[in-house]
Amino acid sequence: MMIKQVITELKAQPVIAWVTIIGTALAMFLIMVVVMLNQVNVVDLAPESNRHRLLYATFMRGRDTTKESNIMNTSSLGAPVIDAVFRPLTTPERITVFTKWNDEQTVSTPGVAGFIADTKSTDEQYFRVYDFTFLAGAPYDSADVASHLRKAVITESIARRLFNSADEAVGRDIEIDEVPHRVSGVVKEVSPVTNKAYSQVWTPLPYKELDEWSAQWGIGEYAVAVLAHEGQPLSEVEEEIKTNLAKFNALKAAENIEVDFNGAPYTEEGERAQVGSNNPADLAKEHRHQLIVYAILLLVPAINLSSMTRSRLAWRTGEIGVRRAFGATRGSIIVTVLCENMLITLAGGAIGLLLSFGFGSLFFDTIYSAGTFAAYNTIVTLGPAALFAWSTFGYALLFCFILNLLSTGIPAWRASRLNPVDALAATSK
């Protein structure tokens, strides 16, 4: 019955009704594009399919406790801190250590001219924390890392460029900055959007002698990812990390050294919210900014749609008067108007949602490639799985519901308070 009423209204006032639907669609489109831009950085997305149970420490700060000045030095994590704080962890499922930043190195083989590729050094656990799709071969193992063997895992595009296929690449040698490495495996391409897992070439962590300064402060060039057990509260892992850090600082007290992890460990969202190595993430501030943007995207169309709703209700004044005259309650009038407008809002919302996914599929690669990831030596790719998540669908439904209440609530309340006699008189004029 309600759907028939909406269809009748569309036929009776096609311009106003369709302007309402189009306005809702554009509002949905804008807010969903913003939501997807934010969500794609934090939702589970292969090969970072376990983002929901990962904690990161990517920066450390150290200070001399005998001085009143603030941070004395900042850096990525070094082996001394990792060995003292993270290696002994017993609560998580596993940890992995890798270079925080990708390097640009020349990759070549005899007969193939060298070209620049993004490279990253990791331990063997890296390929168990992140779920890469191996097309051929296998990752290097703990013995390879411990022996500092020169092996490499490469992406399919690198394999094709050097050897024409993934299968032909396994067991072959490549040169990375003129140093020979044996290819142990080939993986499916990785998007820079999954920035912890992203690279084009992965090699075992190198053996590096620490200079006196690095050894003293524990600084280095590594990041640590800690994978909690499925269903395990992240707070349990956080507490053990803090306990181990306190023990490390107690040992360093004699040297007047105290270090911290810039507010870490962080979730994926918190890690991305850090601004440099000396500014802890302020998620509350980030969330406030997001809410302000969402509020603007909600209120502006809601005000416009509210005027459209009033126009539709003004045309239906006589109908409302008749219903009131035959005993319809104010509550039933409000519910009817809200439900009718909700159907129209959902129709516009569905169109807007489809537009946002279409826009994302066509243009998100360009948006990302021209922004944060412009420095990478690959094209950013985002498949449907990156753009759609049930949480995104939930945001869409919530948006439609709130927009309906904002744009229809006051007009519906005013319509319900019409005096039946006045409404009928207004219609007869």
Side-chain angles (χ1 to χ4, degrees):
M1 184 67 181
M2 197 71 66
I3 295 178
K4 289 183 179 180
Q5 175 67 43
V6 173
I7 293 174
T8 301
E9 186 178 343
L10 285 172
K11 291 179 179 179
Q13 290 183 298
V15 175
I16 294 178
W18 281 110
V19 167
T20 302
I21 291 176
I22 293 172
T24 303
L26 290 176
M28 170 66 80
F29 168 75
L30 289 174
I31 200 167
M32 289 312 300
V33 167
V34 174
V35 168
M36 286 192 294
L37 283 169
N38 290 330
Q39 286 293 103
V40 77
N41 289 323
V42 296
V43 297
D44 292 345
L45 184 63
E48 295 180 5
S49 300
N50 292 313
R51 281 176 171 175
H52 65 285
R53 56 190 182 110
L54 275 168
L55 290 171
Y56 290 100
T58 56
F59 290 116
M60 63 173 288
R61 309 180 297 181
R63 69 184 187 89
D64 186 337
T65 57
T66 64
K67 299 180 180 180
E68 295 182 358
S69 58
N70 291 324
I71 304 304
M72 298 299 295
N73 61 69
T74 60
S75 172
S76 297
L77 280 64
V81 168
I82 294 172
D83 291 341
V85 178
F86 293 96
R87 297 289 188 195
L89 291 175
T90 60
T91 52
E93 182 177 323
R94 66 184 78 253
I95 74 161
T96 182
V97 180
F98 52 94
T99 49
K100 176 173 173 56
W101 311 109
N102 289 85
D103 290 323
E104 289 187 336
Q105 295 181 285
T106 302
V107 178
S108 64
T109 57
V112 178
F115 56 90
I116 299 298
D118 294 320
T119 66
K120 184 187 291 288
S121 295
T122 77
D123 62 11
E124 75 285 352
Q125 293 296 324
Y126 184 83
F127 296 97
R128 302 182 69 183
V129 169
Y130 301 112
D131 55 329
F132 293 89
T133 300
F134 274 82
L135 304 177
Y140 39 82
D141 56 28
S142 57
D144 297 330
V145 176
S147 302
H148 311 294
L149 295 184
R150 300 193 184 280
K151 289 192 173 183
V153 172
I154 62 177
T155 61
E156 183 181 14
S157 62
I158 300 295
R160 291 186 180 279
R161 190 166 179 177
L162 294 175
F163 304 107
N164 299 320
S165 75
D167 290 330
E168 292 182 25
V170 176
R172 303 279 292 277
D173 286 340
I174 63 174
E175 290 192 352
I176 303 175
D177 280 354
E178 300 183 351
V179 177
H181 287 70
R182 179 67 52 86
V183 176
S184 67
V186 179
V187 298
K188 185 179 178 181
E189 298 299 315
V190 179
S191 172
V193 174
T194 54
N195 63 344
K196 310 300 186 309
Y198 169 75
S199 191
Q200 294 174 299
V201 179
W202 297 263
T203 57
L205 286 173
Y207 177 75
K208 291 186 177 181
E209 291 285 355
L210 294 175
D211 58 36
E212 184 178 353
W213 177 265
S214 299
Q216 180 184 18
W217 288 90
I219 63 177
E221 57 185 20
Y222 303 126
V224 176
V226 182
L227 180 67
H229 293 280
E230 190 66 60
Q232 178 186 21
L234 295 180
S235 58
E236 291 183 3
V237 182
E238 293 173 352
E239 284 303 314
E240 188 180 13
I241 292 172
K242 292 176 181 178
T243 298
N244 288 355
L245 177 60
K247 292 178 182 178
F248 178 79
N249 280 329
L251 293 174
K252 284 290 183 179
E255 303 175 52
N256 300 317
I257 290 176
E258 183 179 80
V259 303
D260 64 61
F261 298 137
N262 197 38
Y266 289 119
T267 60
E268 179 72 28
E269 183 183 23
E271 198 282 325
R272 287 177 182 259
Q274 292 181 97
V275 183
S277 59
N278 198 23
N279 296 284
D282 188 347
L283 284 179
K285 181 179 179 181
E286 291 291 320
H287 293 161
R288 283 196 300 272
H289 287 170
Q290 290 179 13
L291 287 175
I292 290 172
V293 172
Y294 295 159
I296 292 173
L297 293 175
L298 272 170
L299 289 175
V300 173
I303 293 171
N304 293 327
L305 293 175
S306 180
S307 63
M308 295 293 177
T309 302
R310 285 197 298 272
S311 298
R312 295 204 316 272
L313 292 178
W315 179 80
R316 297 174 59 191
T317 299
E319 174 197 331
I320 294 172
V322 171
R323 293 185 62 187
R324 292 283 287 122
F326 278 89
T329 64
R330 291 175 178 175
S332 66
I333 297 293
I334 292 175
V335 171
T336 299
V337 175
L338 286 175
C339 289
E340 290 175 1
N341 201 68
M342 187 63 182
L343 290 175
I344 294 177
T345 304
L346 286 174
I351 295 173
L353 189 61
L354 291 175
L355 287 175
S356 64
F357 283 124
F359 177 86
S361 299
L362 292 174
F363 299 109
F364 268 30
D365 293 356
T366 303
I367 292 173
Y368 273 94
S369 295
T372 306
F373 307 105
Y376 289 125
N377 293 289
T378 190
I379 297 174
V380 179
T381 55
L382 287 171
L387 299 175
F388 179 80
W390 286 110
S391 58
T392 306
F393 183 70
Y395 284 124
L397 290 179
L398 179 63
F399 173 80
C400 286
F401 179 72
I402 296 176
L403 188 60
N404 179 53
L405 290 180
L406 290 175
S407 62
T408 312
I410 294 178
W413 178 78
R414 288 180 175 175
S416 71
R417 297 183 65 82
L418 283 174
N419 186 294
V421 176
D422 294 337
L424 291 171
T427 304
S428 64
K429 291 180 180 180

